[in-house]
Amino acid sequence: MTIITHVTTHDLRARTSRTLAGSDAVHVDPDYSAAYVVLHTDEPYQGHGMTFTIGQGNDLCCTAIEMLATMVVGRPLSNIVDDMGAFWRQVTNHSQLRWLGPDKGVMHLATAALVNAVWDLWAKERGVPVWKLVSDLSPEQFVDCIDFRYLHDAVPPDRALEILKSRRAGRDARLSELRRDGYPAYITSAGWLGYSEQQVRDLCRSMRADGWTSFKTKVGVSIESDIRRCELMREELGDQIQLMSDANQVWEVPEAISWMSNLQRFDLRWIEEPTSPADVLGHAAIRRGVAPIKVAPGEHAANRVIFKQLMQAQAIDYCQIDACRLGGLNEVLAVLLLAEHFGIPVCPHAGGIGLCEYVQHISVIDYLCVSGSLDDRTTEYASHLHEHFVDPVVVNNGRYVVPEAAGYSIEMKPESIAALTYPTGSEWTN
């Protein structure tokens, strides 16, 4: 019987501000960071989890993880995973800590790290990747992982069961297809706003040669520079390649509609995060105003309730869930079901350290268990910082290769933990 004996946290930061990888209209100098947690046990394996930030405040997330970790230390793993829905509710419904949220902010980021570490540990104990752990659950067990509080008016448990049961047929064939072809992806790494025009051209050429057929660029600094960036990317990529745009919440609602009218001629697939992530009705107005360009919010949607409202208000064309902004895999599963119920493709956000490692599992779960479809679906990929992981994500010809190692693919190398530790690691002292 595996018992969680103690927990350690690590404030890990990569100095991506030196190269401007990750830069956009709002976050001009990000240091991609991980508030990282390890669940130590009396067995040979450990559970690893993290939440993503871009530098300052990462230490606050680590402190919040330590506060929540008191709910797992000393407990047998079986005591937790036998009722994952109840565990998630316990973590998010602490009578005092809930006041600091609820279901948003630093506490919810910390929830993601802790909850995902439990999933990682559970999968390692079973000797399977997380996507397989979830896909092996019965529909009833899948539903039991979810807290349906606040969701009954959209997707009650009986509707969730109906969706999951309907997807059992053909699952083996879909898995064989994924293992053969991979999961479709798009790449963001050519479009960071801090990059020069020549950098963008060179990256477009090299990534196109590597088989990428779907790209994203950042926008929002000035209309003139956005037009120029889209022009040069279209020059390098041609008109048949998918091109998306991402404003990272920089605009007011009327401004977003007006701004995007200047980019209509570039045949953009979507505009991502055009305004405040909490402005559901604003997204609905933007969606009406920028058509036929689609709208893709969700990277900073803090919880399943915001996603529910986005979908009910017809404010969303693509569901851009984030593995760490939501409260871990349990809440991600709830949003996958919401998206399927409302007929909205899930295209996870994965621009930061560790996020690609996480979301490859989420996309496989969605295809095998929930949507059963690859239509109009691509998962984000960013090409940097994967060298720090024990089982890093693999892409081939613009597609994610299905991960096969046990766990959630988020375990980092000990030497990387040492190097990225802030402020004493070599990343910061050299």
Side-chain angles (χ1 to χ4, degrees):
M1 179 171 57
T2 302
I3 296 176
I4 300 170
T5 58
H6 63 288
V7 169
T8 55
T9 60
H10 305 270
D11 181 349
L12 307 181
R13 310 187 193 185
R15 295 183 67 184
T16 50
S17 57
R18 292 178 299 184
T19 64
L20 297 183
S23 54
D24 59 52
V26 175
H27 313 101
V28 297
D29 58 350
D31 286 323
Y32 275 15
S33 303
Y36 194 83
V37 60
V38 182
L39 308 182
H40 301 268
T41 75
D42 58 352
E43 298 290 344
Y45 32 76
Q46 304 169 334
H48 295 249
M50 55 147 282
T51 200
F52 170 67
T53 76
I54 57 170
Q56 292 187 28
N58 201 48
D59 51 341
L60 298 180
C61 287
C62 289
T63 299
I65 293 167
E66 291 167 2
M67 297 169 78
L68 294 175
T70 58
M71 287 181 261
V72 301
V73 172
R75 292 178 66 177
L77 179 62
S78 60
N79 179 257
I80 296 172
V81 302
D82 285 350
D83 194 342
M84 279 293 278
F87 168 65
W88 193 86
R89 181 77 175 264
Q90 179 191 19
V91 173
T92 58
N93 204 46
H94 188 286
S95 62
Q96 294 182 8
L97 297 179
R98 179 173 169 78
W99 184 259
L100 303 177
D103 298 347
K104 58 184 176 288
V106 169
M107 294 310 301
H108 216 48
L109 292 172
T111 295
L114 184 68
V115 167
N116 288 339
V118 170
W119 281 97
D120 181 67
L121 179 60
W122 188 14
K124 286 174 178 173
E125 185 187 57
R126 292 285 184 90
V128 297
V130 158
W131 66 261
K132 180 163 176 53
L133 175 64
V134 174
S135 65
D136 284 344
L137 298 175
S138 69
E140 291 78 10
Q141 290 171 319
F142 189 116
V143 165
D144 285 344
C145 293
I146 297 169
D147 182 358
F148 283 88
R149 182 178 46 171
Y150 312 134
L151 299 184
H152 284 81
D153 58 323
V155 181
D158 57 347
R159 171 58 179 148
L161 277 172
E162 178 185 333
I163 292 171
L164 295 169
K165 289 178 179 178
S166 71
R167 295 293 176 261
R168 301 290 284 181
R171 181 180 298 185
D172 291 343
R174 294 197 295 275
L175 178 55
S176 296
E177 175 193 4
L178 283 185
R179 283 177 164 153
R180 182 191 68 228
D181 300 333
Y183 195 97
Y186 71 87
I187 191 161
T188 302
S189 301
W192 303 124
L193 277 189
Y195 286 179
S196 69
E197 286 192 12
Q198 192 58 53
Q199 278 180 289
V200 174
R201 286 192 183 277
D202 292 342
L203 288 168
C204 283
R205 290 172 188 173
S206 63
M207 292 171 183
R208 184 72 182 93
D210 287 339
W212 288 96
T213 59
S214 190
F215 288 72
K216 188 171 79 178
T217 185
K218 301 291 184 175
V219 296
V221 172
S222 74
I223 292 174
E224 294 75 20
S225 66
D226 287 351
I227 290 173
R228 181 57 187 151
R229 175 69 64 93
C230 290
E231 283 178 340
L232 73 88
M233 291 188 78
R234 278 295 179 210
E235 288 171 10
E236 294 298 332
L237 301 174
D239 294 332
Q240 302 306 310
I241 296 295
Q242 275 187 345
L243 182 60
M244 291 83 80
S245 58
D246 183 358
N248 290 94
Q249 317 159 37
V250 73
W251 298 319
E252 300 279 350
V253 172
E255 185 183 16
I257 296 170
S258 173
W259 198 296
M260 290 306 296
S261 69
N262 294 279
L263 304 180
Q264 287 276 4
R265 59 192 166 104
F266 297 108
D267 191 26
L268 298 175
R269 181 186 178 196
W270 72 49
I271 176 62
E272 184 176 329
E273 288 203 302
T275 193
S276 166
D279 190 354
V280 172
L281 298 183
H283 276 93
I286 291 169
R287 181 173 180 258
R288 294 190 297 269
V290 304
I293 297 173
K294 306 295 186 181
V295 174
E299 173 186 338
H300 280 82
N303 54 61
R304 64 208 184 280
V305 178
I306 292 178
F307 276 106
K308 181 189 74 169
Q309 293 178 344
L310 285 166
M311 295 172 192
Q312 289 174 325
Q314 298 182 359
I316 180 172
D317 292 295
Y318 295 97
C319 178
Q320 285 244 320
I321 54 176
D322 183 279
C324 299
R325 180 66 55 178
L326 293 171
L329 185 57
N330 301 61
E331 192 166 31
V332 167
L333 298 180
V335 176
L336 293 182
L337 288 163
L338 282 167
E340 176 59 18
H341 174 73
F342 285 97
I344 296 169
V346 175
C347 298
H349 163 255
I353 184 170
L355 297 186
C356 295
E357 278 68 25
Y358 272 145
V359 300
Q360 60 183 336
H361 293 264
I362 292 170
S363 292
V364 174
I365 292 166
D366 181 53
Y367 186 43
L368 295 184
C369 303
V370 184
S371 72
S373 174
L374 295 180
D375 292 344
D376 207 16
R377 286 165 166 82
T378 44
T379 296
E380 186 173 18
Y381 175 77
S383 57
H384 55 301
L385 302 175
H386 302 294
E387 68 274 11
H388 296 298
F389 293 88
V390 174
D391 297 299
V393 68
V394 177
V395 294
N396 182 30
N397 231 14
R399 288 176 170 253
Y400 278 94
V401 175
V402 175
E404 302 290 358
Y408 212 165
S409 304
I410 207 67
E411 181 174 347
M412 296 182 75
K413 299 174 182 177
E415 58 269 28
S416 290
I417 292 175
L420 297 179
T421 294
Y422 180 83
T424 58
S426 59
E427 181 85 348
W428 296 94
T429 58
N430 292 341

